[in-house]
Amino acid sequence: MTPTTDLCDAHPDLQVCEPIFLDFGGELAFCGPIKTLKIFEDNVLVRSVLETPGQGRVLVVDGGGSMRCALVGGNLGVLAVDNGWAGIVVNGCVRDTEELAGQAVGIKALAPHPRKSEKGLHSGHEDRDVQFAGVRFSPGAWLYADGDGIVVSDGPVHA
């Protein structure tokens, strides 16, 4: 994958996320077309999406930045790997960090949190534009992530 620094140099119009995310997955660099979810403290929709074929996409989960529970953990990481997701970006927390670190998927989130989310507490939305970290994430746009950060483009810009 082309480093995000090189992508920014070649494409100064790329959206660049604020540097608020930590790395949790076993893959530091990942990229792919975006699939979006908007949820709050309930990861039922995250599970149902990760159970479907990822086809190299990146799941962007806008969890409202909640720091009260985790939205992704080890079991969901296994689903992401098994179903071909390139990565997950969570505007919220994750858990089972040692398990996630051993899984062949990129995962960026705000922080670790030991508490699991509630189930059936809130509804969620799929395939809508979501905005956080200074970036608008649209379904079908491309996300590139590595140790230097996350950038988003309307379409693929890598070599």
Side-chain angles (χ1 to χ4, degrees), residues 63-74:
S66 173
M67 293 292 194
R68 299 191 306 196
C69 66
L71 297 173
V72 173

Side-chain angles (χ1 to χ4, degrees), residues 9-159:
D9 291 351
H11 305 278
D13 57 331
L14 290 178
Q15 296 185 82
V16 179
C17 282
E18 296 164 355
I20 59 175
F21 295 98
L22 302 174
D23 291 297
F24 293 97
E27 298 291 333
L28 185 60
F30 58 96
C31 67
I34 293 171
K35 162 114 181 132
T36 63
L37 294 179
K38 174 76 172 166
I39 61 172
F40 188 71
E41 297 182 359
D42 181 340
N43 73 349
V44 169
L45 192 54
V46 178
R47 173 177 285 281
S48 69
V49 168
L50 291 175
E51 289 173 339
T52 66
Q55 302 168 323
R57 292 177 293 169
V58 175
L59 180 60
V60 174
V61 180
D62 183 359
S66 173
M67 293 292 194
R68 299 191 306 196
C69 66
L71 297 173
V72 173
N75 292 336
L76 296 186
V78 169
L79 284 175
V81 172
D82 289 349
N83 290 309
W85 290 86
I88 306 169
V89 175
V90 183
N91 183 25
C93 298
V94 298
R95 66 189 231 155
D96 304 320
T97 58
E98 288 185 28
E99 289 178 49
L100 294 176
Q103 296 171 346
V105 63
I107 300 175
K108 288 189 178 275
L110 300 178
H113 198 294
R115 180 173 288 132
K116 67 181 179 177
S117 76
E118 295 292 329
K119 308 293 186 250
L121 197 67
H122 302 282
S123 62
H125 301 283
E126 204 172 331
D127 294 326
R128 291 189 179 177
D129 285 2
V130 296
Q131 191 163 346
F132 57 87
V135 168
R136 177 175 298 280
F137 301 89
S138 300
W142 273 69
L143 184 145
Y144 298 86
D146 62 18
D148 288 313
I150 300 171
V151 299
V152 175
S153 65
D154 291 337
V157 293
H158 58 285

